[in-house]
Amino acid sequence: MDEAGSCASGGGFRPGVDSLDEPPNSRIFLVISKYTPESVLRERFSPFGEIQDIWVVRDKHTKESKGIAFVKFARSSQACRAMEEMHGQCLSPSDTKPIKVFIAQSRSSGSHRDVEDEELTRIFVMIPKSYTEEDLREKFKVYGDIEYCSIIKNKVTGESKGLGYVRYLKPSQAAQAIENCDRSFRAILAEPKNKASESSEQDYYSNMRQETLGHEPRVNMFPFGKNLKICFLFYIVGEQQSEFSSFDKNDNRGQEAISKRLSVVSRVPFTEEQLFSIFDIVPGLEYCEVQRDPYSNYGHGVVQYFNVASAIYAKYKLHGFQYPPGNRIGVSFIDDGSNATDLLRKMATQMVAAQLASMVWNNPSQQQFLQFGGSSGSQLPQIQTDVVLPSCKKKAPPETPVKERLFIVFNPHPLPLDVLEDIFCRFGNLIEVYLVSGKNVGYAKYADRISANDAITTLHGKILNGVRLKVMLADSPREESNKRQRTY
């Protein structure tokens, strides 16, 4: 489109091309009469706030107005209020057609947005984990009428993740909340949910099940191909030699808050699927969310891991990683109020447990080192976990009919068989538990469905001896064979 901008003769600040959308959603797009002068636009829109510039789009040759204009405000709330009150109004008594007002298209949005657009009314906030939806509503109702509040919770435990959404009835109210709420909430406009990425984890484990049955996976488990993974591996190898020097450059790191949650910033906007692909390389990823920063066009996201060890590793390995090439992403810890000393103690426990489990997995003859004082296998295997487990129960006889089979996924490696047996027999009626050769998966057979469901409820998504478990109902086998499965 050929266009030339005109600015009021009154002078003042005129934003450059790079700051047209600073802050985002501060520019409105107008469909007006070709005969509407700029002075009328300034007169009618100045009551809503500080106008930084006005552009009237004109024909390149005739210099006549095309009936399109842009008005740039200093604040997003000013632009939103102008859209709400002026859309469908006539600028002067002589106008026969009402004007149309939208939030102008920016680099981060695909089109002009109107009053009904959910992207402009829903905000994403970080909150204390003790907050209820009523607490959240009470904090943010001062900025306008709230349609609903919701808190993101762990699907297994039902506990708050310290993240929430607030949707207002009007875009200006959401903008006011972002501009004026306490900075500790880190309020930003929420991205629309990406339904495709929500099923990625389910597809991953479904594919792994098929693989254990001898089928090729139908879905690419790394949707962006091998380039990102290869690039990351080269980056890790190159960083290994400078790992200690990089710590020297951050001698003040002890003052930095340590948590399982990370903030990710990039000069280039990214999608939730891209963020997931980058940080899922480090085992233990629990959650990621892409948000829009109202004060810049940078990409911004939140990543949370199940354990602090994964978060620390991801922070120090992915901070400065170039994706796409030439763009370095910034990764930092988000202070969620957790006790850093306690987190580090748990991390050390998980690392030691994982090291011992790995040693046993690679060389079963080394199991004696897991026994206290080098004694024989008469003692129960040691289990390191925060999960409250029931007391040990006897196994069911091998010939007992199988009522339920469970499918188990291990990350990063399987647990020793004696540890698995000790864990899964605690729910009663366990017939056997076994591992699939060459895979990080296994199965547990129960003689009672209630016992199997109790195992899923207690163990799914939990970390035991440094290994995260996924426990779910197994698919029904195509053929039931009396031949015993190969086990370790």
Side-chain angles (χ1 to χ4, degrees):
M1 177 186 292
D2 296 327
E3 59 183 85
S6 60
C7 184
S9 59
F13 170 77
R14 178 165 190 166
V17 175
D18 293 336
S19 58
L20 289 178
D21 298 310
E22 296 290 346
N25 306 318
S26 59
R27 198 162 52 105
I28 58 175
F29 171 79
L30 309 175
V31 179
I32 57 176
S33 168
K34 293 182 179 181
Y35 306 104
T36 301
E38 181 184 315
S39 58
V40 172
L41 295 178
R42 182 170 294 277
E43 178 186 353
R44 294 301 304 272
F45 283 92
S46 58
F48 300 105
E50 177 189 349
I51 294 178
Q52 294 183 336
D53 208 352
I54 297 176
W55 298 265
V56 176
V57 181
R58 301 181 184 278
D59 185 272
K60 184 176 181 180
H61 303 288
T62 64
K63 306 301 180 184
E64 292 181 353
S65 169
K66 290 187 174 183
I68 297 173
F70 294 88
V71 178
K72 173 69 172 70
F73 286 92
R75 298 169 70 92
S76 304
S77 57
Q78 297 167 350
C80 290
R81 197 161 65 88
M83 172 184 65
E84 294 162 4
E85 298 193 20
M86 294 301 294
H87 182 69
Q89 301 294 321
C90 292
L91 293 179
S92 64
S94 60
D95 288 343
T96 57
K97 288 185 178 181
I99 65 171
K100 296 180 180 179
V101 186
F102 307 94
I103 294 295
Q105 176 182 355
S106 66
R107 299 175 196 171
S108 57
S109 64
S111 60
H112 304 306
R113 273 85 51 80
D114 58 22
V115 178
E116 302 296 329
D117 201 315
E118 181 181 0
E119 287 187 45
L120 297 175
T121 57
R122 196 167 67 110
I123 67 173
F124 173 79
V125 293
M126 297 182 187
I127 57 177
K129 292 185 177 181
S130 59
Y131 263 37
T132 64
E133 290 186 1
E134 190 59 38
D135 295 330
L136 185 58
R137 181 181 293 273
E138 191 67 25
K139 278 287 183 182
F140 283 88
K141 71 179 184 180
V142 295
Y143 306 110
D145 298 324
I146 295 176
E147 182 177 339
Y148 67 79
C149 294
S150 63
I151 294 177
I152 302 174
K153 297 181 180 180
N154 186 296
K155 294 180 180 179
V156 178
T157 65
E159 296 178 352
S160 169
K161 292 185 176 181
L163 307 169
Y165 291 98
V166 179
R167 183 172 185 186
Y168 288 92
L169 296 180
K170 296 182 179 181
S172 61
Q173 297 168 343
Q176 284 275 6
I178 292 174
E179 293 168 355
N180 299 317
C181 75
D182 192 287
R183 286 291 171 259
S184 64
F185 290 109
R186 298 199 180 189
I188 50 181
L189 283 176
E191 287 283 346
K193 288 184 177 289
N194 187 341
K195 295 183 179 180
S197 65
E198 291 176 352
S199 60
S200 60
E201 185 177 13
Q202 182 178 353
D203 292 340
Y204 173 84
Y205 293 109
S206 175
N207 294 333
M208 188 173 287
R209 283 180 181 169
Q210 293 177 13
E211 197 172 333
T212 62
L213 296 173
H215 295 279
E216 291 295 326
R218 291 178 292 180
V219 181
N220 183 3
M221 289 163 60
F222 203 85
F224 293 92
K226 298 181 180 178
N227 293 337
L228 175 59
K229 186 176 288 186
I230 293 173
C231 182
F232 176 77
L233 291 176
F234 274 113
Y235 173 76
I236 292 295
V237 171
E239 286 293 307
Q240 292 294 337
Q241 298 177 350
S242 60
E243 183 171 355
F244 291 102
S245 62
S246 67
F247 281 130
D248 292 339
K249 295 176 184 177
N250 296 278
D251 286 336
N252 62 341
R253 68 189 182 280
Q255 300 175 1
E256 184 178 17
I258 296 176
S259 71
K260 296 183 289 185
R261 193 180 301 172
L262 302 174
S263 172
V264 185
V265 179
S266 166
R267 290 179 300 169
V268 179
F270 44 71
T271 65
E272 187 170 308
E273 192 174 12
Q274 290 170 323
L275 186 68
F276 181 89
S277 297
I278 295 172
F279 283 84
D280 191 44
I281 295 173
V282 178
L285 180 62
E286 178 184 8
Y287 172 86
C288 68
E289 175 87 18
V290 171
Q291 300 301 331
R292 181 173 300 149
D293 189 336
Y295 303 103
S296 71
N297 285 320
Y298 286 9
H300 184 273
V302 177
V303 174
Q304 183 164 312
Y305 285 91
F306 278 99
N307 59 81
V308 69
S310 296
I312 291 175
Y313 188 82
K315 195 274 185 190
Y316 286 106
K317 286 302 179 184
L318 289 173
H319 178 64
F321 176 60
Q322 293 191 27
Y323 181 76
N327 174 66
R328 293 184 179 273
I329 62 175
V331 184
S332 59
F333 292 109
I334 296 175
D335 187 1
D336 60 358
S338 301
N339 187 311
T341 303
D342 185 52
L343 288 173
L344 290 173
R345 186 184 299 112
K346 288 182 180 180
M347 180 190 74
T349 302
Q350 292 168 357
M351 289 177 65
V352 172
Q355 184 78 10
L356 291 173
S358 178
M359 178 179 65
V360 174
W361 172 246
N362 293 323
N363 187 359
S365 65
Q366 299 296 323
Q367 289 191 16
Q368 57 181 322
F369 291 109
L370 289 180
Q371 308 297 332
F372 287 108
S375 62
S376 64
S378 59
Q379 283 188 314
L380 291 175
Q382 299 302 306
I383 300 175
Q384 299 287 344
T385 182
D386 293 333
V387 181
V388 179
L389 295 173
S391 59
C392 292
K393 296 180 176 63
K394 290 183 178 181
K395 292 177 61 179
E399 64 276 6
T400 306
V402 177
K403 295 294 185 181
E404 199 70 85
R405 273 192 333 145
L406 302 184
F407 179 70
I408 312 163
V409 181
F410 306 92
N411 189 358
H413 54 72
L415 290 168
L417 195 58
D418 60 335
V419 175
L420 274 180
E421 195 168 278
D422 178 43
I423 293 170
F424 283 86
C425 77
R426 294 170 179 263
F427 302 95
N429 300 294
L430 176 70
I431 301 174
E432 70 167 337
V433 59
Y434 58 92
L435 300 169
V436 178
S437 178
K439 305 291 183 182
N440 285 355
V441 298
Y443 289 88
K445 292 182 178 180
Y446 281 93
D448 182 73
R449 288 190 174 89
I450 295 177
S451 299
N453 289 332
D454 289 344
I456 294 175
T457 303
T458 304
L459 300 175
H460 181 68
K462 298 300 188 293
I463 296 176
L464 294 93
N465 288 13
V467 177
R468 181 187 169 201
L469 304 183
K470 285 282 187 178
V471 185
M472 58 204 87
L473 292 177
D475 294 333
S476 300
R478 292 191 179 93
E479 294 180 349
E480 196 60 51
S481 172
N482 293 325
K483 184 178 179 181
R484 182 183 174 87
Q485 298 274 357
R486 180 186 299 177
T487 61
Y488 292 105

